[in-house]
């Protein structure tokens, strides 16, 4: 049995930017402080073969959800009937959204869910911040439904494992996004289409699959769209042009006349990951001809950083 002291100890780790495995009604989550880019970077690092997929922000109550996102009337209707439960809503970020840029992979939307599990709720409450959590498995493995799976897959990367026995659902949450009064099911899961249509009635269209719009182009094999700056991006640049904005990494000295940012002067890839999307946004606003990006080592989180940069440059 988990005690209040176990929860308090786990919450302390969350606040320190470390990772906690915790149960939800669907699968075990690999949790971190949603407001910290560095903590989110640790999640991607721990999952192996790192990729910056946007994460779900788990909340303890409606108040916390409303701080994070803008919920349209249909989304509100769904959550009033189906939360807490295995239903995740993708909504536009609120103006003062506390969720870190890396956790949402730089998108203007955020995925929010209120899990139906006393341990998850107690942990979020004790931590005092929303908790971002992907399923607690290594990349490419199936989602973990017991702490033994989590230990096998992620072991040492996790500071605390809250063991609450096998998860009751076993299937991840259903992810929906409402666009222009139509409900798109981005991922089928614990909440069925029948559950959704029972709540919404026949007048609301429910469509399986990706949202296709200028802002959210669907990419094969990928649920979420990708953050792309308006300004063209050039990669592996060693000699930037004077009218370009420059993004560098590590302890380098530049004599660039235009705007420039360093992802991590110390050459720390975790810090660089945490800074990536906000740096791109800032340089995008500089109004330069292009964003020139210096080479970034292709190891560890560098692989995911380079993957996102290639997409931004495509
Ligand atoms: O049941 C669950 O949802 C579990 C438990 C731990 O809560 N979590 C989970 O997280 O399955 P994860 O990271 O394995 O899957 C989250 C999915 C990803 O496919 C991601 O692309 C999508 O949610 N997602 C997150 N934010 C999104 C956004 N803004 N737009 C579209 N898709 C998003
Ligand atoms: Mg997963």
């Amino acid at each position: 049995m988990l005690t209040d002291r176990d929860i308090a100890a786990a919450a302390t780790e969350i606040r320190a930017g470390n990772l906690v495995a915790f149960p939800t009604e669907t699968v075990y989550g690999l949790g971190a402080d949603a407001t910290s880019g560095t903590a989110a970077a640790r999640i991607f690092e721990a999952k192996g073969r790192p990729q910056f997929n946007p994460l779900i922000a788990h909340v303890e109550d409606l108040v916390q959800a409303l701080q994070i996102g803008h919920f349209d009337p249909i989304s509100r209707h769904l959550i009033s009937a189906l939360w807490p439960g295995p239903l995740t809503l993708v909504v536009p970020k609120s103006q003062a959204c506390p969720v870190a840029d890396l956790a949402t992979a730089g998108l203007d939307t955020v995925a929010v869910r209120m899990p139906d599990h006393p341990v998850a709720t107690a942990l979020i409450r004790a931590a005092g911040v929303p908790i971002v959590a992907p399923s607690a498995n290594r990349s490419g493995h199936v989602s973990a439904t017991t702490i033994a799976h989590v230990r096998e897959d992620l072991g040492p990367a996790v500071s605390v494992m809250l063991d609450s026995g096998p998860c009751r659902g076993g299937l991840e949450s259903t992810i929906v996004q409402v666009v222009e009064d139509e409900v798109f099911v981005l991922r089928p899961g614990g909440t069925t289409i029948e559950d959704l249509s029972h709540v919404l009635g026949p007048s609301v269209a429910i469509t399986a699959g990706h949202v296709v719009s200028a802002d959210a182009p669907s990419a094969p094999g990928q649920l979420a769209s990708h953050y792309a700056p308006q300004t063209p991006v050039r990669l592996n640049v060693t000699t930037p042009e004077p009218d370009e904005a420059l993004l560098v990494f590590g302890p380098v000295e530049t004599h660039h006349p235009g705007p420039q940012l360093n992802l991590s002067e110390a050459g720390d890839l975790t810090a660089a990951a945490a800074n990536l999307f906000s740096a791109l946004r800032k340089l995008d606003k500089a109004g330069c001809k292009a964003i020139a990006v210096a080479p970034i080592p292709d190891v560890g989180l560098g692989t995911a950083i380079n993957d996102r940069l290639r997409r931004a440059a495509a």
Side-chain angles (χ1 to χ4, degrees), residues 47 135 137 143 172 187:
K47 296 255 305 175
S135 49
N137 53 277
S143 297
E172 296 93 336
R187 176 178 76 181

Side-chain angles (χ1 to χ4, degrees), residues 17-280:
N18 295 323
L19 306 183
V20 170
F22 67 99
T24 77
E25 81 280 34
T26 60
V27 298
Y28 273 87
L30 179 63
D33 178 353
T35 68
S36 160
T38 312
R42 294 207 173 108
I43 288 182
F44 296 118
E45 209 163 24
K47 296 255 305 175
R49 191 150 52 84
Q51 257 191 322
F52 300 145
N53 285 326
L55 302 171
I56 298 172
H58 296 68
V59 297
E60 56 156 312
D61 59 17
L62 200 56
V63 173
Q64 202 170 37
L66 297 177
Q67 284 163 0
I68 292 175
H70 277 303
F71 290 79
D72 59 280
I74 293 176
S75 295
R76 280 176 193 253
H77 189 171
L78 284 173
I79 65 183
S80 69
L82 298 169
W83 273 9
L87 177 69
T88 295
L89 280 114
V90 172
V91 294
K93 280 178 163 178
S94 67
Q95 195 123 49
C97 180
V99 178
D101 270 339
L102 182 64
T104 58
L107 298 172
D108 294 325
T109 54
V110 57
V112 189
R113 125 168 166 85
M114 188 193 292
D116 186 14
H117 195 294
V119 173
T121 306
L123 177 64
I124 302 164
R125 183 162 301 153
V129 286
I131 292 182
V132 278
S135 49
N137 53 277
R138 278 186 88 75
S139 253
H141 289 195
V142 294
S143 297
T145 53
T146 67
I147 229 41
H149 295 162
V150 180
R151 198 170 288 122
E152 244 171 61
D153 260 29
L154 301 169
V158 183
S159 295
V160 173
M161 302 210 188
L162 294 173
D163 185 0
S164 176
C167 297
R168 116 177 96 82
L171 195 62
E172 296 93 336
S173 63
T174 299
I175 304 178
V176 306
Q177 181 173 11
V178 179
V179 178
E180 284 162 13
D181 292 345
E182 188 170 348
V183 177
F184 291 86
V185 179
L186 306 184
R187 176 178 76 181
T191 299
T192 63
I193 304 258
E194 289 77 9
D195 295 333
L196 298 173
S197 61
H198 181 76
V199 169
L200 295 172
S203 63
V204 178
I206 300 173
T207 309
H210 310 298
V211 179
V212 184
S213 77
D215 297 334
S218 72
Q222 200 87 43
L223 275 179
S225 62
H226 297 288
Y227 172 70
Q230 306 286 308
T231 314
V233 175
R234 275 205 316 136
L235 301 181
N236 296 314
V237 175
T238 46
T239 323
E241 288 169 28
D243 49 359
E244 289 181 315
L246 179 61
L247 186 61
V248 294
F249 170 80
V252 288
E253 243 188 83
T254 65
H255 303 282
H256 186 62
Q260 67 170 298
L261 287 173
N262 196 324
L263 285 174
S264 164
E265 275 165 28
D268 174 353
L269 286 166
T270 307
N275 292 332
L276 177 64
F277 291 108
S278 43
L280 283 174

